Amino acid sequence: MFKIGAVTAAVVIPGIAALFYFAAPHFPDFSSQVVSSDRIVVRAGQDLQKALDSAKPGDTILVQAGASFKGNFKLRKKRGTGVITIRSSASDDQLPKEGERIDPTVYAPVLPKLSSPNSEAVVSTEAGAHGFRFVGVEFQSTKGGFSNIIQIGTSEEETVADIPTDIEFDRVYIHATDPAGQRRGIAANGRRILIRNSHISGIRRKGEESQAIAMWGADGPVEIRNNYLEAAAENILFGGASSTLKLVPTSCVVEGNTLNKPVSWRNEGWVVKNIFEIKNGKNIVVRNNVMTNNWVMGQEGTAILFTVREDNGPATIIEDILFENNVVRGTSSAVNVWGGEGGGGRNLTIRNNLFADVDHKKWGGRGFFLKASEWDGLKIENNTIINSGNVAIAYGKPIQNFVFANNIVFYNDYGISGDDTSPGQEAISVYFPGARIVHNAIIGARQGVAGNPNYYLSSSSQIGFADQKDFRLSPSSPYRSKGTNGRGIGYQPTQQ
C-alpha cells in the first residue's frame, strides 16, 4: 500500500517481509505564504544581484517581464525563515495558473530572461542558502553550454548546515540557447527542493553526458512534479558522482512529468543513453510519468536503469524504489537492474506500467524487457510489455526474491534467458532461484516454459485489448479476472 503523505509502504516478497517507508517530503506552501508589503522592482538594465542581496525573507522581487539580464546570480544565506520570491512582473493572469505546466510558446514573452556571460551557472547558491522561490522566469544557456544553468549546492559541503534548502522552481522555462546545447538544466544538490509545472528543453551535448535534472550531492528530499523534461543522456539522474558527505538521495518523488527525447536528435550526434536512471538513491517514488523515445547511441538504448555505481564509495546504494503507473514508449530496451557495487540493490517494485514500442528493429539494440544481475527483492507485477526481444536477460550473480506476476509480455525468441544456460526453467533456476512467476500472459511461448500457473498464448488477439494505444483490457477480455486473487492482469491506466 503506497500513498503520498506520511507514507508507509508494505511490500511482501516471498522469503522476505519488507516494511519500508517512503517518507514523503514536506514543503512549505509557498503559494499561501504571507508576504510582507516589501516589493523590490528590477527593471531592464538594473542590478538583479543587488536586489537578491538586499532582499529579506518575505520579500518579493518583481523582475521586468520580457527583459534580459546577464550574470552569475548568487542566492545568499539569509537570516530568518521566510521565503524570497523572484518572479516576473507580469500579473498573475498573464502567467499559467497555479498547478498548470508552463507552455513557452504561450508565455515566453512575459518571462524575464536570465543568462550567463561565461561558462558558470546562471543561478547558484551560497553555502546554507535557503528560502527562495522562482515563478515565471526564463533561464537560458551558459556560454558554450558548459556546466549547469542552475546549480543548487556544490556536493563539496562539509557540514549538513551548508547544504542549500527550501528552494522552489514553479512555472519556469529552462532551455539551451547555445548551438552547442547545454550540459545540465538543474543540479539539484539540496534539501527540500521542489521543481514543478516547468519546462526544461534542449539539454544535450556532443562528447559528454547531459541531464535535465540531476541530484548526487545531497540527501533530499526532492520533488519533481508536472514538468516537461528534455535531455539527451538522462532526462533525470540520481547519483553518478561523489559528495564530500557521502550522501544518498533519499525520499524523493518524481510524479506526473513528461520525459522526452525529440526524435529529430537521433541523427545529430548528441550523446543519448537513458530516460531515467538511479545510480544511488533510497525511498524514491516514480509515478504517473510519460517517458518517450530512447535509442542506441552512447549505450545500448535501455530506457530505465536501476544500476548501483560506486561513484560515491561504499555508501552508494539503491533501496526501496517504487516505479508505478508510468508509460514508457519508444525505446531499444526497457529496464536494466544491477546491484553489484557499493551497498548493492534491494527492494525494487515495478508495478502497473505500460512498456510499448520496445523494438530493436526500430530503435536498435536488443528489444529486451529486463536485463538483471545481483539484486535482492525485485517485484514486477501488472505490467503490459510490447517488446521485440527477450522477456529477461540474466547474467553474473542471481536475483534473489524475484516476483514476476500478472504481466502481459511477448516471449519472442528466448523468453527468460541467462548466460551459459538454456532458456526457460534452467535459466530461472540458476539466475532467479525460488522465483514466483505466476498468472502472466506470455505470448508466443510453448506450454510450461516459465512454469505454472501462467497463460501461454499463440497470439495477442487472445488477450482482448480494448485498443492498441494504451493496451488496457476490454470489458470482454477473459483475463480481467485471471490475475492473483481474481484481479486483472497487465497494465490498467490511471490518469496521466
PDB file of all heavy atoms in Angstrom, residues 83-99:
ATOM      1  N   VAL A  83      10.347  33.211   2.891  1.00  0.00           N
ATOM      2  CA  VAL A  83      10.727  32.895   1.514  1.00  0.00           C
ATOM      3  C   VAL A  83      10.856  34.180   0.709  1.00  0.00           C
ATOM      4  O   VAL A  83       9.995  35.063   0.784  1.00  0.00           O
ATOM      5  CB  VAL A  83       9.676  31.969   0.872  1.00  0.00           C
ATOM      6  CG1 VAL A  83       9.973  31.762  -0.613  1.00  0.00           C
ATOM      7  CG2 VAL A  83       9.634  30.643   1.600  1.00  0.00           C
ATOM      8  N   ILE A  84      11.923  34.276  -0.067  1.00  0.00           N
ATOM      9  CA  ILE A  84      12.094  35.363  -1.025  1.00  0.00           C
ATOM     10  C   ILE A  84      11.595  34.866  -2.374  1.00  0.00           C
ATOM     11  O   ILE A  84      12.067  33.849  -2.882  1.00  0.00           O
ATOM     12  CB  ILE A  84      13.563  35.799  -1.117  1.00  0.00           C
ATOM     13  CG1 ILE A  84      14.024  36.389   0.226  1.00  0.00           C
ATOM     14  CG2 ILE A  84      13.753  36.816  -2.246  1.00  0.00           C
ATOM     15  CD1 ILE A  84      15.519  36.653   0.297  1.00  0.00           C
ATOM     16  N   THR A  85      10.617  35.558  -2.937  1.00  0.00           N
ATOM     17  CA  THR A  85      10.046  35.174  -4.224  1.00  0.00           C
ATOM     18  C   THR A  85      10.641  36.047  -5.328  1.00  0.00           C
ATOM     19  O   THR A  85      10.624  37.272  -5.226  1.00  0.00           O
ATOM     20  CB  THR A  85       8.515  35.317  -4.213  1.00  0.00           C
ATOM     21  OG1 THR A  85       7.974  34.446  -3.214  1.00  0.00           O
ATOM     22  CG2 THR A  85       7.923  34.953  -5.565  1.00  0.00           C
ATOM     23  N   ILE A  86      11.156  35.390  -6.368  1.00  0.00           N
ATOM     24  CA  ILE A  86      11.669  36.093  -7.549  1.00  0.00           C
ATOM     25  C   ILE A  86      10.746  35.722  -8.700  1.00  0.00           C
ATOM     26  O   ILE A  86      10.649  34.549  -9.066  1.00  0.00           O
ATOM     27  CB  ILE A  86      13.122  35.696  -7.872  1.00  0.00           C
ATOM     28  CG1 ILE A  86      14.031  35.922  -6.655  1.00  0.00           C
ATOM     29  CG2 ILE A  86      13.633  36.470  -9.076  1.00  0.00           C
ATOM     30  CD1 ILE A  86      14.340  34.679  -5.875  1.00  0.00           C
ATOM     31  N   ARG A  87      10.057  36.719  -9.262  1.00  0.00           N
ATOM     32  CA  ARG A  87       9.041  36.386 -10.246  1.00  0.00           C
ATOM     33  C   ARG A  87       8.942  37.460 -11.331  1.00  0.00           C
ATOM     34  O   ARG A  87       9.442  38.584 -11.172  1.00  0.00           O
ATOM     35  CB  ARG A  87       7.677  36.207  -9.597  1.00  0.00           C
ATOM     36  CG  ARG A  87       7.172  37.407  -8.811  1.00  0.00           C
ATOM     37  CD  ARG A  87       5.672  37.331  -8.620  1.00  0.00           C
ATOM     38  NE  ARG A  87       4.954  37.565  -9.872  1.00  0.00           N
ATOM     39  CZ  ARG A  87       3.668  37.280 -10.055  1.00  0.00           C
ATOM     40  NH1 ARG A  87       2.960  36.730  -9.080  1.00  0.00           N
ATOM     41  NH2 ARG A  87       3.080  37.542 -11.214  1.00  0.00           N
ATOM     42  N   SER A  88       8.287  37.090 -12.411  1.00  0.00           N
ATOM     43  CA  SER A  88       8.003  38.057 -13.465  1.00  0.00           C
ATOM     44  C   SER A  88       7.113  39.167 -12.922  1.00  0.00           C
ATOM     45  O   SER A  88       6.237  38.933 -12.076  1.00  0.00           O
ATOM     46  CB  SER A  88       7.304  37.355 -14.632  1.00  0.00           C
ATOM     47  OG  SER A  88       6.841  38.295 -15.579  1.00  0.00           O
ATOM     48  N   SER A  89       7.329  40.360 -13.448  1.00  0.00           N
ATOM     49  CA  SER A  89       6.460  41.479 -13.056  1.00  0.00           C
ATOM     50  C   SER A  89       5.095  41.378 -13.712  1.00  0.00           C
ATOM     51  O   SER A  89       4.187  42.153 -13.386  1.00  0.00           O
ATOM     52  CB  SER A  89       7.117  42.805 -13.434  1.00  0.00           C
ATOM     53  OG  SER A  89       7.240  42.905 -14.852  1.00  0.00           O
ATOM     54  N   ALA A  90       4.928  40.438 -14.643  1.00  0.00           N
ATOM     55  CA  ALA A  90       3.616  40.241 -15.270  1.00  0.00           C
ATOM     56  C   ALA A  90       2.591  39.882 -14.208  1.00  0.00           C
ATOM     57  O   ALA A  90       2.905  39.224 -13.206  1.00  0.00           O
ATOM     58  CB  ALA A  90       3.705  39.142 -16.328  1.00  0.00           C
ATOM     59  N   SER A  91       1.371  40.279 -14.415  1.00  0.00           N
ATOM     60  CA  SER A  91       0.312  39.971 -13.456  1.00  0.00           C
ATOM     61  C   SER A  91      -0.001  38.479 -13.477  1.00  0.00           C
ATOM     62  O   SER A  91       0.328  37.764 -14.437  1.00  0.00           O
ATOM     63  CB  SER A  91      -0.948  40.766 -13.791  1.00  0.00           C
ATOM     64  OG  SER A  91      -1.413  40.437 -15.088  1.00  0.00           O
ATOM     65  N   ASP A  92      -0.663  38.011 -12.446  1.00  0.00           N
ATOM     66  CA  ASP A  92      -0.971  36.584 -12.340  1.00  0.00           C
ATOM     67  C   ASP A  92      -1.781  36.081 -13.532  1.00  0.00           C
ATOM     68  O   ASP A  92      -1.595  34.945 -13.974  1.00  0.00           O
ATOM     69  CB  ASP A  92      -1.747  36.313 -11.045  1.00  0.00           C
ATOM     70  CG  ASP A  92      -0.852  36.378  -9.815  1.00  0.00           C
ATOM     71  OD1 ASP A  92       0.383  36.372  -9.981  1.00  0.00           O
ATOM     72  OD2 ASP A  92      -1.399  36.434  -8.693  1.00  0.00           O
ATOM     73  N   ASP A  93      -2.665  36.922 -14.056  1.00  0.00           N
ATOM     74  CA  ASP A  93      -3.487  36.459 -15.169  1.00  0.00           C
ATOM     75  C   ASP A  93      -2.725  36.391 -16.482  1.00  0.00           C
ATOM     76  O   ASP A  93      -3.246  35.904 -17.485  1.00  0.00           O
ATOM     77  CB  ASP A  93      -4.750  37.315 -15.317  1.00  0.00           C
ATOM     78  CG  ASP A  93      -4.447  38.778 -15.600  1.00  0.00           C
ATOM     79  OD1 ASP A  93      -3.257  39.141 -15.766  1.00  0.00           O
ATOM     80  OD2 ASP A  93      -5.404  39.576 -15.665  1.00  0.00           O
ATOM     81  N   GLN A  94      -1.468  36.865 -16.497  1.00  0.00           N
ATOM     82  CA  GLN A  94      -0.614  36.729 -17.678  1.00  0.00           C
ATOM     83  C   GLN A  94       0.312  35.513 -17.585  1.00  0.00           C
ATOM     84  O   GLN A  94       1.054  35.235 -18.528  1.00  0.00           O
ATOM     85  CB  GLN A  94       0.239  37.992 -17.863  1.00  0.00           C
ATOM     86  CG  GLN A  94      -0.559  39.234 -18.217  1.00  0.00           C
ATOM     87  CD  GLN A  94       0.350  40.438 -18.348  1.00  0.00           C
ATOM     88  OE1 GLN A  94       0.875  40.962 -17.365  1.00  0.00           O
ATOM     89  NE2 GLN A  94       0.554  40.874 -19.580  1.00  0.00           N
ATOM     90  N   LEU A  95       0.270  34.803 -16.473  1.00  0.00           N
ATOM     91  CA  LEU A  95       1.096  33.627 -16.240  1.00  0.00           C
ATOM     92  C   LEU A  95       0.201  32.391 -16.133  1.00  0.00           C
ATOM     93  O   LEU A  95      -1.016  32.509 -15.938  1.00  0.00           O
ATOM     94  CB  LEU A  95       1.903  33.800 -14.954  1.00  0.00           C
ATOM     95  CG  LEU A  95       2.956  34.906 -14.958  1.00  0.00           C
ATOM     96  CD1 LEU A  95       3.543  35.074 -13.554  1.00  0.00           C
ATOM     97  CD2 LEU A  95       4.064  34.626 -15.971  1.00  0.00           C
ATOM     98  N   PRO A  96       0.761  31.192 -16.255  1.00  0.00           N
ATOM     99  CA  PRO A  96      -0.064  29.992 -16.061  1.00  0.00           C
ATOM    100  C   PRO A  96      -0.688  29.994 -14.663  1.00  0.00           C
ATOM    101  O   PRO A  96      -0.115  30.529 -13.711  1.00  0.00           O
ATOM    102  CB  PRO A  96       0.943  28.844 -16.192  1.00  0.00           C
ATOM    103  CG  PRO A  96       2.112  29.423 -16.917  1.00  0.00           C
ATOM    104  CD  PRO A  96       2.160  30.864 -16.539  1.00  0.00           C
ATOM    105  N   LYS A  97      -1.826  29.377 -14.564  1.00  0.00           N
ATOM    106  CA  LYS A  97      -2.473  29.251 -13.264  1.00  0.00           C
ATOM    107  C   LYS A  97      -1.647  28.349 -12.353  1.00  0.00           C
ATOM    108  O   LYS A  97      -0.871  27.515 -12.815  1.00  0.00           O
ATOM    109  CB  LYS A  97      -3.883  28.676 -13.427  1.00  0.00           C
ATOM    110  CG  LYS A  97      -4.829  29.577 -14.202  1.00  0.00           C
ATOM    111  CD  LYS A  97      -6.188  28.913 -14.385  1.00  0.00           C
ATOM    112  CE  LYS A  97      -7.129  29.790 -15.198  1.00  0.00           C
ATOM    113  NZ  LYS A  97      -8.436  29.124 -15.440  1.00  0.00           N
ATOM    114  N   GLU A  98      -1.829  28.509 -11.066  1.00  0.00           N
ATOM    115  CA  GLU A  98      -1.176  27.630 -10.092  1.00  0.00           C
ATOM    116  C   GLU A  98      -1.489  26.169 -10.436  1.00  0.00           C
ATOM    117  O   GLU A  98      -2.645  25.809 -10.642  1.00  0.00           O
ATOM    118  CB  GLU A  98      -1.681  27.951  -8.681  1.00  0.00           C
ATOM    119  CG  GLU A  98      -1.075  27.100  -7.586  1.00  0.00           C
ATOM    120  CD  GLU A  98       0.338  27.482  -7.238  1.00  0.00           C
ATOM    121  OE1 GLU A  98       0.719  28.655  -7.473  1.00  0.00           O
ATOM    122  OE2 GLU A  98       1.073  26.623  -6.720  1.00  0.00           O
ATOM    123  N   GLY A  99      -0.465  25.344 -10.533  1.00  0.00           N
ATOM    124  CA  GLY A  99      -0.647  23.938 -10.856  1.00  0.00           C
ATOM    125  C   GLY A  99      -0.661  23.622 -12.332  1.00  0.00           C
ATOM    126  O   GLY A  99      -0.720  22.450 -12.719  1.00  0.00           O
TER     127      GLY A  99
END
